[in-house]
Amino acid sequence: MNVFGLTDMGKVRQTNQDSFKIVQMDDLYLLVVCDGMGGANGGKTASSNAVDAFVCSAAIKIDAAGGDKDKYEKALRDAVADANKKVYEMSTESADLAGMGTTLCAALTDSERIWAVSVGDSRIYKFARGRINQISHDHSYVQALLDSGSITVAESKNHPNKNIITRAVGTQEEVEFDSFLMKFDMDGLLLCSDGLTNFVSDSELNKIFKQNNSAEDTAKAYIDAANAAGGGDNITAIVIKK
């Protein structure tokens, strides 16, 4: 597998509140993207600490599984809970960090399967047979309106409350999240923050994926495309090419 991640501040923000990490463990790759919120200090603190806590917890639990892949999904679920605990405790201990939180999307992959989790509106996409499909489901106000039929997809693109998320890591003592288990019967995977998806359409993401051979070139092209479209937010992308 070919794996590469990249983050960029964009053209408008003064700080980068996105964080990501890629960890290889023998035949496994652990990938995580977080997009922080809560002011300049709070957002970065939330995302970076969530990434570190998640990776540390997941790595320990995966190692403890001793190769039993049936335990990997629980390892990721427990890691989300541990990341939430870390960020929440930090937010309650400092007035400057009160109310901070972060999205989180993560995947654990080998050559056969993908285990994934998501909280918030950072996304996971798969690419297969020339098509792009979003695996994760946004936990956002606008997505709730879409799910209820209150607005159309076209109306959602420029909705004034587009950036309001309904779930986040660290904002409450307990966190709700989605988890997935899939066969790795695809050409690749993308984990990204909304600084990419708010400025680059799914069809353009698919086009760029098909135009670039390496994960590194693809990730760089995604950053360039988001910046060319205005770069109105921090941009993070992790790409896997199988």
Side-chain angles (χ1 to χ4, degrees):
M1 280 188 290
N2 184 213
V3 184
F4 189 82
L6 195 63
T7 189
D8 188 87
M9 190 164 64
K11 293 184 173 294
V12 174
R13 306 293 189 191
Q14 299 302 307
T15 59
N16 190 347
Q17 298 184 27
D18 287 2
S19 300
F20 80 93
K21 190 164 285 189
I22 300 169
V23 179
Q24 185 174 6
M25 300 175 287
D26 297 325
D27 65 333
L28 295 166
Y29 279 97
L30 179 64
L31 324 166
V32 58
V33 169
C34 288
D35 178 0
M37 61 183 194
N41 292 330
K44 184 61 180 177
T45 299
S47 69
S48 61
N49 279 276
V51 163
D52 289 344
F54 177 86
V55 167
C56 180
S57 175
I60 290 171
K61 290 174 173 63
I62 290 164
D63 183 63
D68 184 351
K69 296 183 178 182
D70 290 335
K71 295 181 178 179
Y72 288 172
E73 184 175 1
K74 186 177 187 303
L76 293 193
R77 294 178 65 88
D78 288 347
V80 176
D82 289 342
N84 185 76
K85 180 180 180 182
K86 174 68 174 179
V87 176
Y88 180 74
E89 288 180 349
M90 291 182 70
S91 74
T92 60
E93 293 168 356
S94 168
D96 291 339
L97 302 177
M100 72 175 180
T102 181
T103 69
L104 184 151
C105 67
L108 177 70
T109 73
D110 59 16
S111 60
E112 298 178 347
R113 284 185 279 184
I114 298 168
W115 299 261
V117 288
S118 71
V119 185
D121 62 356
S122 292
R123 292 180 178 178
I124 305 173
Y125 289 92
K126 72 173 184 177
F127 301 87
R129 293 173 287 281
R131 297 181 180 180
I132 182 174
N133 290 104
Q134 184 179 338
I135 294 170
S136 59
H137 189 77
D138 291 354
H139 304 133
S140 68
Y141 177 74
V142 167
Q143 185 63 55
L145 293 178
L146 277 170
D147 292 344
S148 69
S150 300
I151 62 173
T152 65
V153 172
E155 290 171 333
S156 72
K157 300 300 182 185
N158 298 301
H159 195 281
N161 295 321
K162 187 175 178 65
N163 293 324
I164 297 176
I165 58 175
T166 54
R167 297 185 195 176
V169 168
T171 55
Q172 299 183 44
E173 195 168 359
E174 303 289 336
V175 62
E176 290 185 72
F177 57 92
D178 297 332
S179 62
F180 321 89
L181 172 59
M182 300 159 286
K183 291 182 179 179
F184 202 158
D185 55 351
M186 58 193 75
D187 301 315
L189 206 64
L190 167 66
L191 283 71
C192 61
S193 63
D194 68 347
L196 177 61
T197 55
N198 282 344
F199 294 90
V200 184
S201 68
D202 286 8
S203 60
E204 184 66 15
L205 292 176
N206 194 36
K207 180 180 178 182
I208 291 171
F209 184 88
K210 290 190 287 187
Q211 286 177 336
N212 292 273
N213 292 325
S214 73
E216 180 175 355
D217 288 345
T218 306
K220 289 178 177 178
Y222 283 150
I223 302 295
D224 290 345
N227 277 324
D233 200 354
N234 307 144
I235 314 152
T236 301
I238 298 178
V239 177
I240 295 179
K241 293 264 190 174
K242 193 172 183 182

